[in-house]
Amino acid sequence: MDNSGAGAKQLGPAHGLNGRRLISFSREMKATVDPPALNEMQRGSPNRIRTTRFTWLTWLPKSLFAQFHRAANVYFLFVSIIVCLPDGPMMWSSTVVPFIGVLLWTAFKDLYEDRRRKKDDDAENLRTCWRYDTRTKVFAQVKWMDVCVGDILLSFADEAFPADVLVVRAAGGQAFISTVNLDGETNLKERNSANLLSALCDMPEAGPDVPRGDNAREKVLESAVRTAQHLYTEGLQVELQAPKPVLTDMEGSLKLSSASETASAKLKELEVTLPCKLSYELFVPRGCVLRNTLYVISVAAFTGPQTKTRLNAAEAVGKVSNMQVYLNRGVQGLVVALLLWCIYCATSAEIQGVSKEDGRSWGLRFLFYWIILYQIIPISLYVFFEIVKLILGVQINRDPQMRDPRTKLGASARTADLVEEMGQVNFVFSDKTGTLTENEMVFAHCCVCHEDDDARELGDFRQTAKLVEKSEDAPGVCEGKLVLSSPSDPRYKEVLWFFINLAANHSVQVEGEGIEKKFEGSSADEVAFVEAAQAVGVTFLSRTRIPGTSSSEVVVQGPGSKDFTFTILGEIPFSSDRKRMSVIVKHEGEYWCLCKGADNIMGPLCDRPLGGSLGSSLTHYSKLGLRTLVIASKKLNDHEFVEDWLARWKEATVAEDREREMARIAAEVEHSLRPAGVTAIEDKLQDGVPEAIVSVKAAGIRFWVLTGDKTETAVEIAKACKLFTEKTTLAYLVNCSSESQALQLIEEAKKTIEGESDGGLVLDGTFVQQILTSKDGRPMLYELAISSQTCVCCRLSPQQKRRLVEMVKDMNRSGITLAIGDGANDVPMIQGAHVGIGIRGKEGNQAVQASDVAISQFRFLVPLLFCHGRRAYRRVATFICYMFYKHTVLAVGDIFFAHQITFAAKIAYPEWLNSAFASVICGLPVVVVVSLDFDIPDEVALVRPDLYIEGLRRMRFNAKILVAWMLSALYHGGLAWMVPNLTVGSLDPEETEFWYASCVSFVLCVVFVNFRLWMVAESPFRKETVLIMLFSFLCLIVTLVVLAETPLGDWMQPQIEDAFVGIFSDQRYFLPMFLTPLLLLLDLAVYQAIAIFDPYPLTAAKRQLWWSQRNKDNVSKASGDLQSW
């Protein structure tokens, strides 16, 4: 390996490719990596990404190996082997050739998909980046695939990072990155360099920081060379832990092996301790894009398959639809039936002495009968099943009614395997924020505490159209400005401190100057806080990293252009478990802890109860459906404690048990807080949400809202979106502290909603925590949920959401659950439900990436269920029943013929006709009809939620329906075989009459199964249906002509030579072939009688629609005649 990047000289014992690693820079301008094999992977291109499965040499073997992991292919391989037995009843080519064709079709499909992956890989691997070349001592562009561990890289604004890198230096001391390619979050995140690296880069030897301006790029390239050389000169050593998939788990340490006296003095001046610990905030994962920062210099830490993106690229466990399970069970049932039939035939042949005549053993006869009837499970079954699902998925993707007018994005079926389950949903579990609401946070109200323990509201901060038209501020903004414009106002001090808290305690970034100032943050709430503070005159100006430290300076401009400078010494971040965020700041020599969080969390942490007017405001805001947060702070008088605490906090951030240690250290300061006030944020409902929920409830689907909001807020939102109505009787199961209390609450709730037609439940996290761990409580809660239509669950963690979904799945094995959400905290429940729907929201794309179907608005759930889901269930159910039916029809002929010839193991139909029947003649029609069949217009389906009952009650696919199809198959198959065979045929396969009659029977089978398909089609006279039927009969004619009248047919099927001309020119064959189908009129009469006296809801709706349309036409015609008269 050349020394333009990191070399391979070994410094110590190897740790293994997946172990810890050491990167060392020396004054000889050499970078060494231990273990050296890290940069020898993938033929010296360790950063190469390879997602392909095959090479040209391994393609076919690997594809075939994967295909034979499927039980169906193993079955057909077994049949293909036994069909080659000597003196078998069937030509081996009629079975082996189609099977090879299916295998090759799948193999070429795999190859096509693999070549597409190869194209995507090349697009990634051939991108270029800047790397420091130790030979030429300049930064040169190299391909991403050639980046090695230990390379010093330079990235400019709007460029992606080629590997997981450790930040060395950033323009202005801070780097802002977009992680949208990694986790889908659109908000920028801040990254800094470690204290040691910050100190080194603050030295003159490292070159100056380059500001934006003319020729900035060239200046950065010159300065970056000095920075890289400085790292080599000081002997930087980077030790990193083993690569791990967890995004926030990235640790290591830094030290200097040949530090100069100047560097040592600098480290001492800035109090930088060695070794310098590293945490994930100092790294940038591969694929992230640098934004709003001129440049970043970094060291490649992890490359290729060891980067976070690749470690997290493992495919999720696939979901299998219930109809797929039923199909598999049906196939298993047919295999068992086939096994019993073969045993019966072989045994009967032994009893009747047939084996003495032909000398075949019982086992051989068993195999021969298996060969004769194996096509009762067709080779094309699963292929056609996948094609139908694919077409149904494409229909979802192309549906214009689910296209968001704002983003122009339509629905996306990320997997087509579950489309029919969307027509059978029993439970919907929905997130609230960003799913039912817009997730566009607007600062609505605030209540500020005062010295006398009183709290007063400032008014409504929301702008109305009338105020905008008049260019006037909202009442709350006017009141806030009024108070802050007069220092003599008794409320001035408390109101100023309240808004300073909002402007200083956050992780928001600021761009632009003056009126063009723009705020960006990972939390929409925090951006709303900063904007509200700016509106009243308390403006967040800047955030600047302090060189050589992990601290930063936040400047807030107060009333009268007075600046308040806060040094952020430590940030205790928000998490779904903590539900609060704190910062430790230094201001004018004083230390403060500024904290904000949910009221149920903050209450115990405050020095007084959140009661009085403050508590009243909390309740009032919640009843308005607003999201509330408590703002609190305290002064830290013990400076020695603060300094000791900060040291221990820094250790906790890089500890092995990081989360636990951080929580323990945080608890030492997050107590005895003094409330500063309460905020109320409005998150408006999305368009169409109330109407969508009303429709879902009307379909008989139970609807649960799972949210982290407080109870009052969630209940008011539920009322606003019509989940709860004025007539809903609510039972509250909240504030629970023990299992016994939880069980008692369930009993009380039963009494509350007993006998009520519209009962609703309200649960909270305390109750859910107790009940989900109770063996007796889980079934009791499920029974209670079944007796109610709706439920709101509040204060839930992401895992509690998933456990509730899994509880319903466990309690109701046949029920279908659907979870819908928009954020990362919804991913567990989306993955836990049978069907997961992701909404493209403002919290990133993680929910979409984990979902089965992605949509842009909650209201699109209605057409997804009532149109696509309902139709998909009917279509897939029809497909499965029909496929079992049509192959049973053909198999019945062999069953009857076996009894006629005393089980002599001979076939009833020509082999190649069998193969054509399964694929082209009767295979394609069912795919076209069930995929493109049309029942009622979408606008009718959307206003008829009662039609969804077919899927809820499994009316289209159940034991009764399947038995009816099978009885019909026995009747049609027996009729098709017996009439020609008994009237114009014979029992001797050596005679021409037998094969002519067999061909007539085959034609009747095609007529019967096509007629049955036409009968069950919802639009039998639709152009597509008629054309595919004609195509089927055309294929039948072409197949007969080729096999009976051509030299190719003489080779493939010599038994039926001249059969086509014979059966269509001889009246003896012609009459049974055209008269027997008249018996299908009896089927039609029975089918129509059922449609009249016991119709499906869909059939009844179609009839109503037809009559209403006819009456409308009659009225229009009469009106026209009257006008003419």
Side-chain angles (χ1 to χ4, degrees), residues 562-640:
K562 179 182 178 182
D563 288 350
F564 298 85
T565 302
F566 295 88
T567 303
I568 309 295
L569 302 174
E571 178 183 313
I572 309 175
F574 175 90
S575 71
S576 56
D577 293 326
R578 283 171 39 80
K579 296 183 180 177
R580 63 187 184 275
M581 171 189 176
S582 299
V583 290
I584 308 301
V585 303
K586 186 176 183 180
H587 173 59
E588 296 181 350
E590 296 179 335
Y591 293 97
W592 292 84
C593 173
L594 311 182
C595 187
K596 63 184 178 188
D599 59 291
N600 65 321
I601 299 294
M602 295 292 289
L605 302 181
C606 289
D607 60 359
R608 52 178 163 151
L610 301 178
S613 53
L614 188 65
S616 301
S617 296
L618 275 170
T619 305
H620 173 63
Y621 296 154
S622 298
K623 288 183 177 179
L624 293 176
L626 304 176
R627 293 160 54 95
T628 58
L629 280 181
V630 174
I631 310 298
S633 63
K634 77 169 181 179
K635 187 177 180 181
L636 304 173
N637 294 316
D638 189 344
H639 291 196
E640 291 184 4

Side-chain angles (χ1 to χ4, degrees), residues 47 153 208 263 265 337 410 419 468 562 596 665 702 824 855 989 1051 1054 1071:
N47 203 37
L153 307 175
V419 286
V468 173
K562 179 182 178 182
K596 63 184 178 188
I665 301 298
R702 289 176 172 81
I855 56 179
W1051 173 74
L1071 288 177

Side-chain angles (χ1 to χ4, degrees), residues 195-263:
N195 293 346
L196 171 60
L197 296 173
S198 178
L200 290 178
C201 295
D202 196 39
M203 298 172 62
E205 293 84 350
D209 188 13
V210 180
R212 294 181 182 271
D214 296 336
N215 300 321
R217 194 179 185 92
E218 289 74 14
K219 292 177 181 178
V220 168
L221 286 169
E222 295 174 4
S223 179
V225 170
R226 294 178 61 184
T227 303
Q229 292 175 343
H230 190 49
L231 296 181
Y232 279 95
T233 302
E234 300 297 339
L236 178 67
Q237 288 190 346
V238 185
E239 185 175 3
L240 300 169
Q241 67 166 13
K244 296 179 181 178
V246 181
L247 296 179
T248 57
D249 193 353
M250 192 177 276
E251 300 171 1
S253 63
L254 301 174
K255 60 181 180 179
L256 302 178
S257 62
S258 56
S260 64
E261 293 184 3
T262 309

Side-chain angles (χ1 to χ4, degrees), residues 631-661:
I631 310 298
S633 63
K634 77 169 181 179
K635 187 177 180 181
L636 304 173
N637 294 316
D638 189 344
H639 291 196
E640 291 184 4
F641 166 78
V642 174
E643 293 175 0
D644 176 64
W645 184 92
L646 288 171
R648 289 184 291 113
W649 172 254
K650 290 177 182 178
E651 292 176 1
T653 59
V654 293
E656 288 189 13
D657 194 356
R658 171 188 166 91
E659 299 298 330
R660 183 177 175 182
E661 283 299 304

Side-chain angles (χ1 to χ4, degrees), residues 11 22-26 30-34 232 235-238 257:
L11 297 180
L22 180 65
I23 304 169
S24 300
F25 299 92
S26 66
K30 291 184 179 179
T32 54
V33 178
D34 181 24
Y232 279 95
L236 178 67
Q237 288 190 346
V238 185
S257 62

Side-chain angles (χ1 to χ4, degrees), residues 59 81 178 216 313 351 379 426 486 499 728 752 926 965 1020 1051 1075 1091:
W59 155 58
I81 293 173
S178 168
I351 294 173
I379 294 175
N426 301 94
S486 176
F499 283 106
T728 304
T752 302
V926 65
W965 278 88
W1051 173 74
L1075 292 179

